[in-house]
């Protein structure tokens, strides 16, 4: 099966579908057989500080949702790296589906080695939605694609942060979404590797519930000073998305790029 947009035919593999990203007419190839993106990726793509121009890198890019969403916020050259061949291929075809080949480049490879080909300190900003869970045995119950997306099989949290500091320029921003339970680990490892946390925002499913996501941004070799943004609440008392979430999904929220 092939699908076309912008007059570019894009093949779909068995069990793949095309989903709407709800903003700027963007669409993405997904499959239930591999790990699909979720709200955390969308929130990170809106939270991250990105330069108006320059070079931006998305680590653990999966099917490329964050690079494509970032094209709505910056004219920068955007790259993504994904270790799983199937996901990298899906990401490339989604880029083609949206006619974004001149804006977005997807690399298949290991983020721990990217500096060997890309160079040191060449990116102005980096985003990353890494695997959240340390290896604990539960990953064995998942298929290989889901296990690698959820558990630290292909890279540990420290290896992700080490890759970020190698690849981002001095003063450049690194933005991450993760679980609040790992926040102390994230801050400790960032400081250990010359990334200074500058901005933190907690995401709560409802106002009365504890946070289930945290967005954190750091600057390489930055001065110590961190700000906590107001909490982001996903659902209101009527079980509907809160206005800010609606704005984020539909691309109406004011840009915070720098």
């Amino acid at each position: 099966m092939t699908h076309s947009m912008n007059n570019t035919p894009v093949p779909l593999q068995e069990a793949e579908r095309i989903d709407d990203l709800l903003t700027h007419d963007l669409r993405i190839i997904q499959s239930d057989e591999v790990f699909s993106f979720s709200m955390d990726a969308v929130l990170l793509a809106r939270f991250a500080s990105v330069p108006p121009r320059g070079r931006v890198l998305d680590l653990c890019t999966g099917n490329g949702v964050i690079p494509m969403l970032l094209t709505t916020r910056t004219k920068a050259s955007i790259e993504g790296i994904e270790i799983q061949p199937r996901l990298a291929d899906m990401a490339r075809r989604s880029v083609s589906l949206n006619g974004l080949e001149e804006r977005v480049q997807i690399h298949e490879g290991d983020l721990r080695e990217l500096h060997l080909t890309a160079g040191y300190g060449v990116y102005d900003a980096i985003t990353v939605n890494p695997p959240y869970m340390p290896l604990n045995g539960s990953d064995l119950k998942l298929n290989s694609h889901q296990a690698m997306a959820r558990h630290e099989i292909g890279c540990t949290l420290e290896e992700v942060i080490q890759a970020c500091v190698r690849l981002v320029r001095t003063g450049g921003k690194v933005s991450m979404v993760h679980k609040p339970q790992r926040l102390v680990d994230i801050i400790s490892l960032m400081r250990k590797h010359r990334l200074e946390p500058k901005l933190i925002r907690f995401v709560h499913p409802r106002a009365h519930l504890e946070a289930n996501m945290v967005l954190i941004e750091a600057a390489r070799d930055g001065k110590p000073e961190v700000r906590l943004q107001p909490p982001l609440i996903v659902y209101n008392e009527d079980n509907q998305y809160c206005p800010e979430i609606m704005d984020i999904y539909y691309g109406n929220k004011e840009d915070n790029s720098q």
Side-chain angles (χ1 to χ4, degrees):
M1 178 188 295
T2 62
H3 203 282
S4 64
M5 186 175 177
N6 300 310
N7 299 317
T8 303
V10 175
L12 289 183
Q13 307 300 329
E14 188 175 350
E16 290 182 348
R17 66 182 187 274
I18 293 177
D19 289 343
D20 191 342
L21 285 179
L22 306 179
T23 183
H24 293 72
D25 296 321
L26 291 172
R27 304 168 86 186
I28 189 166
I29 298 170
Q30 301 217 97
S31 170
D32 291 335
E33 294 180 351
V34 298
F35 192 79
S36 297
F37 81 90
S38 53
M39 180 178 286
D40 46 8
V42 179
L43 298 184
L44 178 62
R46 182 58 60 178
F47 168 80
S49 293
V50 289
R53 297 189 182 277
R55 296 182 69 184
V56 177
L57 174 66
D58 182 50
L59 302 178
C60 308
T61 201
N63 62 354
V65 60
I66 290 175
M68 287 191 293
L69 288 172
L70 289 178
T71 65
T72 70
R73 301 186 52 221
T74 176
K75 300 295 185 186
S77 169
I78 303 169
E79 297 167 58
I81 184 166
E82 170 56 45
I83 196 170
Q84 297 191 63
R86 181 172 178 185
L87 282 170
D89 175 64
M90 290 172 70
R92 287 194 191 101
R93 285 184 284 123
S94 287
V95 169
S96 296
L97 179 68
N98 291 282
L100 292 171
E101 296 95 330
E102 294 185 2
R103 302 279 315 279
V104 178
Q105 182 180 2
I106 303 296
H107 307 284
E108 179 191 320
D110 191 326
L111 61 82
R112 295 169 293 191
E113 301 172 355
L114 183 58
H115 64 285
L116 299 174
T117 53
Y120 289 84
V122 295
Y123 295 98
D124 300 292
I126 294 177
T127 55
V128 58
N129 180 7
Y132 291 153
M133 309 299 294
L135 291 177
N136 59 10
S138 65
D139 53 283
L140 300 177
K141 301 174 185 177
L142 303 167
N143 73 42
S144 61
H145 300 290
Q146 294 170 334
M148 286 197 74
R150 293 175 178 170
H151 295 268
E152 294 179 348
I153 297 171
C155 56
T156 65
L157 178 60
E158 184 161 21
E159 287 170 337
V160 168
I161 289 171
Q162 287 173 319
C164 289
V165 80
R166 283 194 296 263
L167 291 160
V168 75
R169 65 169 175 79
T170 298
K173 302 292 179 62
V174 172
S175 302
M176 178 185 293
V177 61
H178 217 294
K179 291 295 184 185
Q181 299 93 312
R182 303 293 303 277
L183 182 58
V184 174
D185 293 337
I186 293 165
I187 292 173
S188 298
L189 289 169
M190 281 183 165
R191 279 200 149 172
K192 175 182 175 182
H193 295 289
R194 297 167 55 196
L195 291 175
E196 186 62 32
K198 305 293 285 184
L199 195 62
I200 296 173
R201 189 173 200 188
F202 292 100
V203 182
H204 301 252
R206 289 175 174 78
H208 67 283
L209 296 178
E210 68 178 69
N212 62 352
M213 280 184 270
V214 62
L215 297 155
I216 182 167
E217 184 168 273
R220 181 180 165 182
D221 299 318
K223 295 180 180 178
E225 180 186 32
V226 66
R227 293 183 293 127
L228 267 63
Q229 289 187 333
L232 178 57
I233 312 300
V234 177
Y235 293 103
N236 62 22
E237 58 273 13
D238 298 320
N239 208 34
Q240 303 292 319
Y241 279 153
C242 290
E244 188 175 2
I245 294 292
M246 292 293 291
D247 287 345
I248 288 170
Y249 263 99
Y250 287 93
N252 299 322
K253 186 176 185 293
E254 283 191 19
D255 211 316
N256 71 335
S257 59
Q258 297 176 0

